[in-house]
Amino acid sequence: NKSGEIIEAQCQSVASAGVTQGIVTELGPFTDAIVAVVHKLSAVTGHKIKSLYVSMQGPHVRAAHSLCTIPISERSNKIITSGDIAKVNQQAYSLGFTIEEQVLHQIPQEYTIDNQNKLLEPAGLYGHKLSADLLLLTALSRDVQNLASAIDRAGYKIRAVALSGLATCLAVLSEET
């Protein structure tokens, strides 16, 4: 966390059932496994768990770069605003995945002003056009929906779905690391 203190974490496990290579293959056994592991975790922590952060991995997860350019000004240089950055990110997001996929994470890699300067933060600079390179981490929608269905059947809500490797990084590394 931001204060640098160590937070105690608990871990429980049960035999996995109804999942093959990260994909839900049988809803009933997987739902039972979720119930079992959350009950064990609740017993150890003494907390009633109502919602879950869920991680995914497997062959259905894909990483792809999506590139997009938008005009900032037609005639003279204009200051690039946070709205311009949001617009180019939204355009890159919209172009970067198929209808069968669901975006788990979108991570800006870099921005370019007028095909020249590669930057991480273009706000406040002048230019005619702004380009974004957005990394999209996606999973097949059906696999995310099957996972959500099992969690819902188990009686829990999903707070967020994350790619396993990125979820681990976010859990253990600070922004300064």
Side-chain angles (χ1 to χ4, degrees):
N1 80 27
K2 290 184 181 187
S3 67
E5 69 183 70
I6 295 176
I7 298 171
E8 181 180 342
Q10 294 289 327
C11 181
Q12 293 294 319
S13 64
V14 297
S16 66
V19 177
T20 304
Q21 294 183 331
I23 298 172
V24 177
T25 54
E26 294 181 68
L27 208 50
F30 185 54
T31 299
D32 293 343
I34 293 167
V35 169
V37 76
V38 174
H39 279 0
K40 285 174 75 173
L41 191 56
S42 290
V44 169
T45 63
H47 296 286
K48 181 170 172 60
I49 298 170
K50 296 179 183 176
S51 60
L52 307 171
Y53 289 97
V54 181
S55 66
M56 294 189 79
Q57 65 180 14
H60 59 285
V61 175
R62 181 177 76 95
H65 286 269
S66 182
L67 307 172
C68 182
T69 301
I70 63 165
I72 301 298
S73 173
E74 291 182 21
R75 298 185 184 208
S76 63
N77 288 324
K78 178 183 167 259
I79 293 177
I80 296 169
T81 66
S82 59
D84 296 323
I85 296 168
K87 184 177 177 182
V88 75
N89 283 343
Q90 180 60 40
Q91 289 288 339
Y93 174 89
S94 298
L95 298 171
F97 62 101
T98 67
I99 195 164
E100 294 88 18
E101 296 173 308
Q102 181 173 330
V103 175
L104 302 178
H105 305 283
Q106 59 179 14
I107 306 165
Q109 298 297 289
E110 68 183 16
Y111 298 95
T112 307
I113 300 172
D114 299 333
N115 297 328
Q116 294 179 8
N117 304 332
K118 294 187 186 271
L119 314 156
L120 293 177
E121 182 52 58
L125 299 174
Y126 286 84
H128 288 271
K129 60 184 175 176
L130 177 64
S131 301
D133 176 358
L134 195 63
L135 178 64
L136 298 176
L137 303 172
T138 66
L140 290 176
S141 294
R142 67 157 198 251
D143 294 330
V144 176
Q145 291 167 339
N146 288 336
L147 179 62
S149 179
I151 290 169
D152 185 59
R153 280 179 149 196
Y156 304 102
K157 300 290 180 208
I158 293 180
R159 294 186 100 183
V161 178
L163 179 64
S164 291
L166 185 57
T168 301
C169 291
L170 293 171
V172 300
L173 297 175
S174 68
E175 288 185 23
E176 296 84 32
T177 310

